[in-house]
Amino acid sequence: MFRDIAQFSAVFTAGVTDTLELETRLIRDWQPETNRYKLS
């Protein structure tokens, strides 16, 4: 399911709102396999 990890990074945010905004942006930009399909 997962390919070999080529890179790892950490981002520190100021709060929950910043975290959710960052997560939303990263998922939209990277479109990871595990987030492409909605479960019914």
Side-chain angles (χ1 to χ4, degrees), residues 11-25:
V11 177
F12 295 94
T13 59
V16 174
T17 303
D18 290 342
T19 302
L20 292 173
E21 290 174 2
L22 176 62
E23 179 182 25
T24 301
R25 190 181 82 227

Side-chain angles (χ1 to χ4, degrees), residues 3-4 7 10-11 15 20 22 24-25 30 33-34 39:
R3 292 180 225 139
D4 293 336
Q7 181 179 342
V11 177
L20 292 173
L22 176 62
T24 301
R25 190 181 82 227
W30 286 81
E33 269 185 60
T34 55
L39 299 174

Side-chain angles (χ1 to χ4, degrees), residues 25-36:
R25 190 181 82 227
L26 291 173
I27 289 172
R28 186 177 346 117
D29 291 349
W30 286 81
Q31 295 183 1
E33 269 185 60
T34 55
N35 290 84
R36 288 186 191 161

